[in-house]
Amino acid sequence: MEHVVVVGAGMAGGRTVVELREQGFAGRITLIGAEEHLPYDRPPLSKAVLTGRTDNTILPYRLAELPDVELRLGQRAVGLEQGTVHTDAGPVAYDALVIATGATPVRLPGAANQRVLRTIDDSLALRDALRPGLRLVIVGAGWIGAEVATVAARHGAAVTVIEAAATPLGPLGTEVGGHAAGWFEEAGVRLRTGAAVEQIAEGKLLLAGGEVVPADEVLVGVGVRPDVGWLEGSGLVLERGVAVDGHMLASWSPEAAGRAAGSGPVLAVGDCAAWWSARYGRRMWVEHWDGAQSSPAVAAGTLLGLAAGKGEDELPVYDPVPYFWSEQFGRMIQFAGLPAEDSRLVFRGDPTARRAPDARKAPGWSAGWFAPDGTLTAIVAVARPIDMVAGRRLLEAGARPDQDRFADPSVPLKELLPT
Ligand SMILES: Cc1cc2nc3c(=O)[nH]c(=O)nc-3n(C[C@H](O)[C@H](O)[C@H](O)COP(=O)(O)OP(=O)(O)OC[C@H]3O[C@@H](n4cnc5c(N)ncnc54)[C@H](O)[C@@H]3O)c2cc1C
C-alpha cells in the first residue's frame, strides 16, 4: 500500500490524512476536495461565523507541511472504477481509498432565492444578508434552523420558522420538542408548526393548502443527504451513504466484486459513512461532528492493520454511542444515544421553567429515555452539560440507573454509574 487517496477535504477527510501519518503510514497520500478551502470546521458556521465572531474556522491540521501529501483542492471526484478515482481534473489511481465526501443539504422545489447553510461561503453570504427588519423565513425547526433563527433574531431580522412536524427538534420526539417551542417565542421568533412548504418562489413561499408567506430571504434547513451521487453505478454498496462495516470498510456488489479483486480496500468516514453497529445491531446514519472527528482514527488503523496482514479480529472497531450538540436561544443542547422503542421518558429538572427576563443563564434540565427493561438508551441535556458527562458514561456502560434518583436533579448522575 503505497498510495492512499482520500476523497473529500472536510473534517473527516483531513483527519484521515493526519491519522494515517500519526499512526505511521509512510507512503504517499492524495487529498481531493471539491471546495477550494483547506479542511475547516462546520459547527461554527451557524454560530461564531454567523455572529461575526470569526471568519476563519480552518482546522489546525497543517496538511501542507506534512511530507508526501498532495492537496488537490477545487477538484471534484465524478466517478469510481476499481483502483481509480475519476475527477474533473483527470483520473487518480489508488492502492487504498477513503471516501469522506460528507453530506449535502436537501433543497425544496422551486429554484428561487433558496439559501442553505453548509459551507463557509454560505455562512458569509447569509451573514451579509442579515439586517434589521429583514423578513427571513427559515424552513425547518431542526438544529440548523434553530441556530440561524437565534442569530438572525439578534440581528433584528423578522424571523419566521416553518416546520412540517408538530414540534421543533424532530429527532427528540414531540414531548421534548414541545418544550423547545417556547424558546423561539422567547427570542421573538415566530414558529409555525404543522405547515408544509410546497414551493419556494420569488419573494414568497407557497404552503400546502394554498397559503402564501412573503419572504425577503429563505433559508432551507430540512436535513442533509450523504454526498455519494458520484458513486452511483460504481458497484460500491450504497445504503443512503456508503455502507461500511465496523472497521469502516466498504464492499462491492456481487456483480462488481470480481472486477474489484485485487484493487485495494475502500473505506468511508464521517457523514457519508453508513456504519454497521454491533452495539445497536443495525446500520447507523449519523451526520454529526463527533463521527467526523473519531471515525478517521479507526479507518486509518484498519488500513494500516490490513497492510500489516492483521486478521479481522485484530482491526479496530468503530461503535460509539452517537453524540451531538447544538447551541440555540442561549442554551447548549446535548444529545447522546439512540432512544429505544417504547421508551419511558424521565425528566430531570423542570423543562417548563422560563428564563427570567434579566437572567444570564437559561434554566437547565435533562431527560433520559429508558427502555422497558430499564436500560438508559438516550439522554438530552439542556443547559446542563454536567449531566452529559456522566450521561454518556451511563449509556456506554448500558446502565439501568434507578429512575427515581435519575429524576432528582440534586443527585449527580455520576452517582448512578455502575460500580
Ligand atoms: C452549519 C453547520 C453547523 C453544524 N453544527 C453542528 C453542531 O453543533 N454539532 C454537531 O455535532 N454537528 C454539527 N454540524 C455537523 C458537522 O459539521 C458535520 O457532521 C461534519 O462537518 C461532517 O464532516 P465530514 O468531513 O464528514 O463532511 P463535510 O464536512 O460535509 O465535508 C465533506 C467535504 O467533501 C467535499 N466533497 C463532496 N463531494 C465531493 C466530491 N465528489 N469530490 C471531492 N470532494 C467532495 C465537500 O465539498 C466537503 O468539503 C454542523 C454542520 C453545519 C453545516
Side-chain angles (χ1 to χ4, degrees):
M1 190 177 75
E2 284 170 11
H3 183 206
V4 178
V5 172
V6 181
V7 180
M11 166 178 263
R15 268 226 75 79
T16 301
V17 176
V18 172
E19 285 290 344
L20 280 166
R21 278 288 175 268
E22 284 183 354
Q23 294 188 36
F25 176 61
R28 203 152 60 86
I29 305 174
T30 301
L31 178 64
I32 301 169
E35 292 184 73
E36 297 282 351
H37 309 289
L38 282 164
Y40 60 88
D41 210 13
R42 287 180 209 274
L45 301 183
S46 48
K47 307 170 184 81
V49 174
L50 213 50
T51 53
R53 258 187 293 142
T54 184
D55 286 356
N56 179 3
T57 70
I58 300 282
L59 290 157
Y61 293 159
R62 298 177 173 274
L63 298 179
E65 293 167 28
L66 293 177
D68 253 350
V69 173
E70 185 188 354
L71 299 178
R72 288 176 167 241
L73 301 178
Q75 295 185 13
R76 180 173 286 279
V78 292
L80 173 65
E81 255 181 286
Q82 293 79 5
T84 306
V85 174
H86 292 282
T87 78
D88 53 10
V92 183
Y94 66 81
D95 298 323
L97 172 67
V98 182
I99 299 168
T101 45
T104 193
V106 173
R107 289 164 198 266
L108 293 177
N113 201 21
Q114 185 174 155
R115 288 180 187 272
V116 292
L117 178 47
R118 184 75 192 176
T119 67
I120 181 88
D121 305 299
D122 295 337
S123 181
L124 293 173
L126 177 61
R127 188 174 85 189
D128 283 349
L130 293 179
R131 56 179 160 77
L134 176 87
R135 292 173 307 173
L136 172 66
V137 177
I138 298 174
V139 187
W143 314 113
I144 298 282
E147 292 192 355
V148 173
T150 303
V151 179
R154 279 198 210 129
H155 272 75
V159 186
T160 301
V161 176
I162 300 183
E163 168 59 52
T167 60
L169 308 187
L172 301 190
T174 49
E175 204 173 340
V176 170
H179 293 299
W183 308 341
F184 289 71
E185 187 191 317
E186 184 185 274
V189 171
R190 184 162 178 242
L191 173 67
R192 290 195 53 182
T193 52
V197 173
E198 268 191 352
Q199 199 175 347
I200 298 169
E202 200 58 52
K204 62 189 177 199
L205 295 90
L206 309 177
L207 304 191
E211 192 186 338
V212 174
V213 179
D216 300 319
E217 291 283 353
V218 178
L219 176 92
V220 175
V222 295
V224 294
R225 291 259 176 284
D227 214 336
V228 294
W230 66 282
L231 295 164
E232 294 288 347
S234 66
L236 206 65
V237 178
L238 304 177
E239 284 186 36
R240 191 168 184 268
V242 180
V244 293
D245 65 12
H247 312 296
M248 312 314 280
L249 279 165
S251 52
W252 298 97
S253 66
E255 304 79 60
R259 279 177 279 139
S263 69
V266 179
L267 298 87
V269 290
D271 280 7
C272 72
W275 43 279
W276 179 260
S277 164
R279 180 191 298 275
Y280 295 111
R282 51 165 275 188
R283 196 164 288 294
M284 303 286 284
W285 293 267
V286 180
E287 289 118 11
H288 297 307
W289 184 94
D290 201 48
Q293 163 75 11
S294 53
S295 57
V298 173
T302 296
L303 273 182
L304 289 163
L306 290 174
K310 285 189 179 167
E312 201 194 330
D313 55 350
E314 296 173 284
L315 298 177
V317 173
Y318 181 71
D319 201 4
V321 171
Y323 166 79
F324 72 87
W325 83 97
S326 168
E327 290 161 40
Q328 46 187 274
F329 306 114
R331 294 164 174 85
M332 167 77 108
I333 323 292
Q334 294 164 287
F335 179 84
L338 188 68
E341 288 205 3
D342 304 324
S343 287
R344 174 171 181 247
L345 191 58
V346 176
F347 284 94
R348 197 175 143 74
D350 180 7
T352 63
R354 285 300 181 94
R355 184 206 297 254
D358 52 351
R360 210 170 50 84
K361 280 173 71 180
W365 53 274
S366 302
W369 283 258
F370 288 83
D373 70 356
T375 307
L376 179 68
T377 58
I379 179 166
V380 62
V382 177
R384 236 182 116 90
I386 185 86
D387 280 357
M388 189 46 69
V389 178
R392 287 177 82 176
R393 289 174 62 198
L394 285 165
L395 293 168
E396 274 151 20
R400 297 179 188 182
D402 181 279
Q403 295 182 26
D404 291 335
R405 295 191 75 211
F406 180 94
D408 180 350
S410 70
V411 175
L413 281 188
K414 66 175 186 219
E415 286 186 12
L416 307 187
L417 280 164
T419 44

